[in-house]
Amino acid sequence: MPVVKFWDGAEMITVDDRPMPWHAGMCVADLLAGLPDGHLYAVVKMDGRLIGRPRFAGTQVPDGARIDLIPMIAGG
């Protein structure tokens, strides 16, 4: 996947079809901490791979990653 850059040369990732800035060393927990509703997600899909909350802090986000936020659904 080609890395897309902002006009100022900053690299980015795509989160739910929206471009977001990326930085070296970013992990999934960092990404979610920057979102107003990031605490609501227990699972994300990064480049086709599902990642659960216990692995958020230890999973690096590569530049150019495509991430889908998967909301938890409760019901009976």
Side-chain angles (χ1 to χ4, degrees):
M1 172 180 292
V3 175
V4 180
K5 298 185 179 212
F6 286 113
W7 62 271
D8 62 355
E11 294 178 350
M12 60 176 262
I13 57 175
T14 303
V15 179
D16 280 351
D17 295 324
R18 295 174 299 187
M20 294 190 64
W22 172 88
H23 62 83
M26 173 186 272
C27 66
V28 174
D30 296 334
L31 168 68
L32 293 176
L35 300 176
D37 61 349
H39 64 285
L40 299 176
Y41 300 99
V43 177
V44 300
K45 187 174 178 182
M46 182 168 67
D47 295 333
R49 184 173 55 129
L50 294 174
I51 301 164
R53 183 179 300 277
R55 298 181 56 210
F56 285 174
T59 303
Q60 298 290 308
V61 176
D63 57 345
R66 179 176 180 82
I67 297 173
D68 295 306
L69 303 174
I70 301 174
M72 296 304 295
I73 300 173

